Amino acid sequence: MRRSNNIIIGLSFLIYGVLSLLNGYGVINTGSSVIIGITFCFYGIATVNQTFGNDERGKLFFASVIFLIGVVLLVKSHFELLDSRGIIFTSILFIGGAALLILFLENFKEKVFLYTGSILILLGILSATFFRNYGLFSLANKIGNLFEYFWPVLLIVFGISLFINRKK
Amino acid sequence: MTEEQNNKEPFEENLFEQMENAPPAVSIKRLQRSRSDVIITGTCSGIAKYFDTDVANIRLIAILSLLLGGWSVVAYLITAALLPVEQNPEELAEVERANQRKENFRVMFSGMLILVGFHFAFVQIGFITGSRSFLFPNSFVFPLLSIAIGVYIILSKRKLSEKSEEPLPTLKRTRDNRIILGVCGGIGKYLNVDETAVRIIFIFAVLLTLGLFAVGYIAIGLSTQLEEEKKVETQQ
C-alpha cells in the first residue's frame, strides 16, 4: 500500500500553496523559483527516503531527478550566474548521471548504471570546463533560445503522445 | 388431488421457467454520476456512459475547457451537485481497478501537460494575459488551488498503486518496442514507467545537451543484452 506517498504529494502541494500565498501577500519575500525549488527538494528527499530499497525504481529515479532540479533552482536563485543558460546544459548531464548512480546504489548488480552515470557526470564536468572553450555553449544557447520559444509546443506534443499511448 | 390440479401444475412450472430464462429488460439510460470510475466526482464518467463514448475523451475535454477562464469548474461543480449518483455500480476485479487507476492517472497527467502547453502558447501569442483566473489574480487562485489539492490528496483514502508481487526485471534492451537499440524501452520496463515518456524525456535531454547525453544511451546500449525472444507456443 502506498498511502504514505499520497501524504508526501499532498504535503508538497500544501507547502507550495502556503509559501506562494505568503509570498503573494508580502509575508515572505522570495521568488517563485525558490518556492518551486523548496517544494521539489522536499518531495525528492521524502520520496527517495520512502522508495529506496523498496522495489520502486521508477519513483526513486524520478524523485532523485526532481530533488536535483530543486537544488539547481535554489542555487540559480541564490547566486548571480554569468551564464545562466549554460548551467542547464551542465545540469542535465549531472542530474542524469546522479540519478543513474542512485539506481546503481539501489541495485548493485546493475553495474551498467555505475559506468553510464560516471560517464555522464564526467561529461558534465568537461562541459563546464574543457568544452566551453570550443564555443559549445554559444551553440547550446541558440538551441536554448529555440526551446524557450517552442517549449509549450513540445509540452503539447508530449501530452498528446502520452494520451494516445495510454492503453499500452 | 383432483385431475384439474394435475393438469394445471406443469403449465405453471413452464411459466416460471419462461420468466427466469427471459432476456433482461432493456435498461433505460440515465444521466448520473458514476461510482465505479471516479476521479473527483464521477461526472465525466457518467456523461461518457450516457453518450456511450470513451471517458478519457470527455475528461480531456473537461481539462481543456479550463482554458476558457476557469468557469468550467463552476459548471462542473453545479453538474456534479445536480446529477444523481449511480445506484448499482459495476463491480470491478482488483486487476481491472488497478488498470483503471493507471489509465486515469495517464489521462489526467497528459491532459494537464496539454493544458499547460496550450496556456503558455496562448500567453506567448498574446491570446490571453495569463494574470487572472475567474475574477481573482493568479497569485491568489493558484496557491489556494494548490492547498485544496494538497488537503484532498492527504485526506483521500484511495491508494495510488499496489505493490507488485512479480519479481523485478533486470535491465535488458527491449526487443518488441525498440526504435534504435531498444534502450529507452528497456529502461521503461526496468523502471516500470511508460516507454514513450522515457523516449521523449531522453530526446529533450539529447537536444539540450547537443547530443552529449546520447553517450549515455550508447553506453547502456553496448553494455546490456537484448532480451530473450518470446517463444510462441503452438498447439498441435
Side-chain angles (χ1 to χ4, degrees), chain B residues 39-70:
Chain B
I39 291 182
I40 302 171
T41 60
T43 306
C44 288
S45 180
I47 293 171
K49 269 185 194 164
Y50 184 75
F51 289 109
D52 200 16
T53 184
D54 190 0
V55 64
N57 297 334
I58 302 286
R59 282 186 177 133
L60 187 65
I61 291 168
I63 293 170
L64 291 183
S65 68
L66 289 169
L67 284 170
L68 301 171

Side-chain angles (χ1 to χ4, degrees), chain B residues 16-176:
Chain B
F16 281 124
E17 268 179 25
Q18 278 175 7
M19 282 168 71
E20 275 176 4
N21 296 330
V26 179
S27 59
I28 301 162
K29 269 188 184 178
R30 291 186 64 196
L31 187 57
Q32 54 193 0
R33 272 160 51 198
S34 171
R35 269 170 64 201
S36 54
D37 185 6
V38 183
I39 291 182
I40 302 171
T41 60
T43 306
C44 288
S45 180
I47 293 171
K49 269 185 194 164
Y50 184 75
F51 289 109
D52 200 16
T53 184
D54 190 0
V55 64
N57 297 334
I58 302 286
R59 282 186 177 133
L60 187 65
I61 291 168
I63 293 170
L64 291 183
S65 68
L66 289 169
L67 284 170
L68 301 171
W71 290 104
S72 54
V73 177
V74 181
Y76 177 87
L77 292 175
I78 292 172
T79 314
L82 292 177
L83 286 184
V85 183
E86 187 181 23
Q87 292 301 319
N88 303 310
E90 197 182 336
E91 291 287 328
L92 293 175
E94 197 52 47
V95 182
E96 284 175 320
R97 198 162 291 158
N99 287 336
Q100 190 189 67
R101 269 200 297 267
K102 207 179 253 184
E103 200 193 322
N104 286 349
F105 175 76
R106 283 181 182 173
V107 170
M108 292 302 284
F109 184 62
S110 56
M112 291 310 287
L113 286 178
I114 298 170
L115 174 73
V116 172
F118 270 118
H119 174 79
F120 283 101
F122 288 162
V123 168
Q124 278 194 5
I125 294 167
F127 278 178
I128 47 176
T129 56
S131 59
R132 292 181 93 84
S133 302
F134 303 105
L135 298 172
F136 304 104
N138 280 348
S139 59
F140 178 72
V141 173
F142 285 122
L144 274 192
L145 198 67
S146 178
I147 291 171
I149 293 171
V151 171
Y152 174 78
I153 292 173
I154 290 170
L155 297 179
S156 167
K157 285 181 179 150
R158 270 181 280 170
K159 290 174 268 179
L160 280 184
S161 62
E162 291 287 337
K163 194 170 180 174
S164 173
E165 296 294 324
E166 290 172 17
L168 291 172
T170 53
L171 182 65
K172 281 182 180 169
R173 287 185 286 126
T174 182
R175 189 182 283 273
D176 52 349

Side-chain angles (χ1 to χ4, degrees), chain B residues 183-217:
Chain B
V183 171
C184 289
I187 290 174
K189 273 184 187 168
Y190 183 80
L191 299 177
N192 192 22
V193 292
D194 190 27
E195 290 98 345
T196 316
V198 176
R199 210 161 270 147
I200 293 172
I201 291 169
F202 175 76
I203 290 168
F204 283 167
V206 169
L207 281 176
L208 285 171
T209 55
L210 294 174
L212 273 181
F213 205 82
V215 176
Y217 180 92

